Amino acid sequence: MRITQGCFSYLPDLTDAQIAAQVDYCLRQGWAVSLEYTDDPHPRNTYWAMWGLPMFDLRDPAGAMAELGACREANPETYIRINAFDPTRGWETVRMSFIVQRPAAEPGFRLVRQETKGRSLHYTMESYAVDRSPEGARYNR
């Protein structure tokens, strides 16, 4: 199963040249770039770990690519995404987000059915990654 979150997630993985081109586009728009990583890509998991600080003063995509290389080296089997934050007054939000690294094997999700009061049924998704402990080592074999 391939996780599809953010821009470009239905496309084949971007090359480093394509990633740099997207970062360059973000910088030309005046957006700040940041990197985040996680081993639990559940759609409601908005708390990915931040790699360093957002690069508000970055003007060249080479800086972001250097940080991406360091993040990949430190977190080889995690999801890594690039976020582009628009600080323009009135927007002040993430304008673009895309995955730039995936683990070798993506475990996917399962549907959990729960019967509650009055025989009501509630459904939720759970990542198979959370069954693998400890956190941060869920993809180790």
Side-chain angles (χ1 to χ4, degrees), residues 5-79:
Q5 294 180 22
C7 300
F8 319 121
S9 60
Y10 289 94
L11 299 175
D13 291 339
L14 299 177
T15 65
D16 282 357
Q18 292 169 324
I19 294 168
Q22 292 303 320
V23 170
D24 185 51
Y25 170 80
C26 296
L27 296 176
R28 284 186 282 117
Q29 304 310 307
W31 302 340
V33 175
S34 66
L35 289 133
E36 296 177 331
Y37 62 96
T38 189
D39 59 354
D40 178 16
H42 189 285
R44 292 190 178 171
N45 176 14
T46 58
Y47 300 106
W48 289 35
M50 185 177 284
W51 179 261
L53 297 172
M55 298 172 252
F56 286 104
D57 58 349
L58 188 66
R59 299 290 173 252
D60 184 348
M65 296 307 292
E67 287 299 315
L68 175 57
C71 186
R72 282 175 171 164
E73 186 176 324
N75 304 287
E77 284 295 312
T78 62
Y79 292 88

Side-chain angles (χ1 to χ4, degrees), residues 57-117:
D57 58 349
L58 188 66
R59 299 290 173 252
D60 184 348
M65 296 307 292
E67 287 299 315
L68 175 57
C71 186
R72 282 175 171 164
E73 186 176 324
N75 304 287
E77 284 295 312
T78 62
Y79 292 88
I80 300 174
R81 71 179 172 199
I82 292 180
N83 296 318
F85 178 81
D86 183 354
T88 305
R89 187 176 185 145
W91 280 96
E92 297 167 333
T93 189
V94 173
R95 286 298 268 310
M96 181 187 282
S97 178
F98 56 100
I99 295 175
V100 295
Q101 176 178 292
R102 300 166 182 277
E106 295 186 71
F109 301 96
R110 66 176 158 257
L111 186 65
V112 178
R113 176 181 151 169
Q114 186 178 44
E115 196 169 317
T116 61
K117 185 178 177 182

